[in-house]
Amino acid sequence: MASENRLSFVDDMTIYNAMDQKQRLMAALAEADVLELDLSQVGEIDTAGLQLLILSKREAARLNKAVTIVAHSPAVRQTLDFCQLA
């Protein structure tokens, strides 16, 4: 049975929080086969935040795991749409 975990972000996904968020993401991914990201409380996301999301997807694929975004804030949705990453 695959283990699942949900990771919620309440801080902005910006360069100022990237290192801490990367550590949280990688630790959560190490513990779960399926990681759900709740980004519904993210007020701002910049390229560092996008890089974290891409890194989490790539690392999950490398480990034969899955990462999915289960909730988007308007800021996250707008940025993903703008970058054609939706």
Side-chain angles (χ1 to χ4, degrees):
M1 181 174 170
S3 63
E4 293 185 21
N5 195 10
R6 181 174 281 208
L7 182 61
S8 298
F9 287 92
V10 295
D11 295 323
D12 293 339
M13 294 188 75
T14 63
I15 188 77
Y16 305 108
N17 301 319
M19 188 59 71
D20 291 337
Q21 290 172 340
K22 178 183 177 185
Q23 291 172 349
R24 286 183 63 212
L25 267 170
M26 294 301 106
L29 188 58
E31 294 176 8
D33 295 325
V34 177
L35 180 61
E36 297 178 339
L37 301 180
D38 181 344
L39 307 179
S40 62
Q41 300 300 309
V42 175
E44 184 179 347
I45 184 169
D46 66 9
T47 55
L50 286 175
Q51 288 174 341
L52 284 176
L53 296 178
I54 293 167
L55 171 68
S56 67
K57 288 281 194 175
R58 287 187 177 159
E59 187 67 8
R62 186 182 73 78
L63 298 171
N64 292 321
K65 297 184 177 192
V67 171
T68 58
I69 299 173
V70 295
H72 304 79
S73 70
V76 171
R77 176 154 315 277
Q78 180 181 15
T79 302
L80 292 176
D81 288 347
F82 179 78
C83 295
Q84 299 179 353
L85 295 173

